[in-house]
Amino acid sequence: GEWVVPTAPPLAVELVLFGAVPGGGTDPRLVLPTFDATPGAATTHATTLILSNLQLVSSPTVAAARTDGSVFRLEATAASRSLQHLVLRNCVVFGGVGRRGGAFFVTGVNARLTMEDSELRDSRASIAAAIYATADARVDMTRCSVSDNTATLNGAGALYGDLGAVITVT
């Protein structure tokens, strides 16, 4: 099996798994389309991915290849036409390894990470073991647990924001 994703903006995809992977196996992957705006038209749509009831962990292959955000890298500039908003609900995120943001690297004026009722643990990085947000990105965390994350250089052990990034924890 596979997930069918509409290709016309605005796009919001909600993926809810309860231990089952479509088509079997243990490595679910979701690939979102990239949008091309009509020449000269303003790109005003936002692309959102909602993940619920999942355990997200970095694979050794991804961690070795990526220096920032080994579980998820969200990069959305003003001209971006790809994923801009990631929403995690009731998820457990662990095992991230990286240079900046072991689990998540969030960058760009249109990049937004929203976590609700989730757990972020056991990640490590040089700076910001759990989440590194930069370049006007936004991170909102509500009723989340953040524990056992380790940064080996400067920066906070769990969350770090710079260059206009906003991190809100409630």
Side-chain angles (χ1 to χ4, degrees), residues 9-130:
L11 172 68
V13 176
E14 185 163 1
L15 173 64
V16 181
L17 295 179
F18 296 93
V21 177
T26 58
D27 188 16
R29 296 172 193 264
L30 176 65
V31 178
L32 292 175
T34 301
F35 300 111
D36 290 320
T38 304
T43 310
T44 58
H45 66 277
T47 306
T48 300
L49 174 63
I50 302 168
L51 301 176
S52 301
N53 306 307
L54 291 174
Q55 288 190 3
L56 305 172
V57 64
S58 177
S59 75
T61 304
V62 171
R66 194 180 284 171
T67 59
D68 301 324
S70 68
V71 175
F72 212 101
R73 180 183 176 102
L74 182 59
E75 192 168 354
T77 63
S80 179
R81 296 183 193 125
S82 60
L83 182 65
Q84 295 176 341
H85 188 189
L86 174 64
V87 179
L88 301 178
R89 293 184 180 136
N90 195 35
C91 290
V92 177
V93 181
F94 61 98
V97 178
R99 183 174 58 96
R100 297 182 300 173
F104 293 97
F105 182 79
V106 186
T107 184
V109 68
N110 289 333
R112 184 170 182 190
L113 171 63
T114 301
M115 295 182 71
E116 302 167 352
D117 303 306
S118 295
E119 182 180 349
L120 188 53
R121 62 176 167 81
D122 301 320
S123 291
R124 58 188 164 84
S126 299
I127 304 170

